[in-house]
Amino acid sequence: MNDKFDEELENIIKKEEKKSTILIKWVSSYDTGHKVIDEQHKELVNIINNLYAVMLDDTANKKNALLEAIKKCIDYTNFHFSEEEKIMDSTNYSKKDDHKSMHRQFVLQLIEHIKGFETWEPYSVYKFIHYLKDWLLEHIAYQDKIFISEIKKNYTGK
């Protein structure tokens, strides 16, 4: 990496280190009530926290570490979306097309963020990590809870 990237990222890191080395702390209010989906969401939180930790880490090969962490994040996100969409299809979730569209839009946004890494602008790394956090928590809080609530209602009548 170049010196300018290192210096700018170092400034971002100094500000972040004052907060915490964990970006997302899982709390029970994030639970949807579906064991498999909740476990996958927890793993996504762990992956995002790992990506955040890599950003804060002072290792010499930060670019490669970030690329590895980003790849893991994207791979697991694709796996999770695929699993969630299988559940939607098998339960005939009424808003599955809209929900799947949100997943596709998110993946497109990930690609756009990653394109910003071609120049390795430090703020783009920081923005990407916070975008992941904000999108995931909002998606869980609203979309996934609506989804799980409907499939539970359809199966239990409650």
Side-chain angles (χ1 to χ4, degrees), residues 1-19 52-63 66 120-126:
M1 276 191 277
N2 63 40
D3 292 335
K4 185 178 178 187
F5 176 85
D6 290 339
E7 184 179 320
E8 289 179 35
L9 192 55
E10 186 63 31
N11 289 334
I12 292 170
I13 289 168
K14 284 178 184 175
K15 290 176 187 172
E16 288 297 304
E17 284 178 334
K18 292 177 184 173
K19 297 177 185 176
Y52 182 72
V54 168
M55 184 187 79
L56 296 178
D57 191 1
D58 274 344
T59 60
N61 200 356
K62 188 179 296 267
K63 186 174 181 179
L66 281 169
W120 280 96
E121 295 175 18
Y123 192 64
S124 64
V125 174
Y126 174 84

Side-chain angles (χ1 to χ4, degrees), residues 53-112:
V54 168
M55 184 187 79
L56 296 178
D57 191 1
D58 274 344
T59 60
N61 200 356
K62 188 179 296 267
K63 186 174 181 179
N64 284 343
L66 281 169
L67 285 172
E68 278 185 38
I70 289 166
K71 182 180 181 335
K72 182 176 181 179
C73 179
I74 291 169
D75 289 346
Y76 196 83
T77 297
N78 283 326
F79 164 76
H80 169 66
F81 285 171
S82 174
E83 293 298 303
E84 214 174 66
E85 290 173 7
K86 286 177 190 173
I87 294 168
M88 288 177 198
D89 289 337
S90 69
T91 60
N92 291 317
Y93 174 51
S94 67
K95 296 178 184 166
K96 68 181 173 185
D97 292 336
D98 291 340
H99 202 113
K100 289 178 182 183
S101 178
M102 285 179 224
H103 287 171
R104 285 189 296 279
Q105 289 295 344
F106 178 70
V107 171
L108 291 174
Q109 286 293 329
L110 290 182
I111 292 166
E112 288 303 309

Side-chain angles (χ1 to χ4, degrees), residues 124-141:
S124 64
V125 174
Y126 174 84
K127 275 181 27 180
F128 175 73
I129 293 168
H130 283 271
Y131 171 74
L132 290 173
K133 176 197 83 160
D134 293 344
W135 192 92
L136 177 66
L137 295 181
E138 181 178 321
H139 189 76
I140 290 170

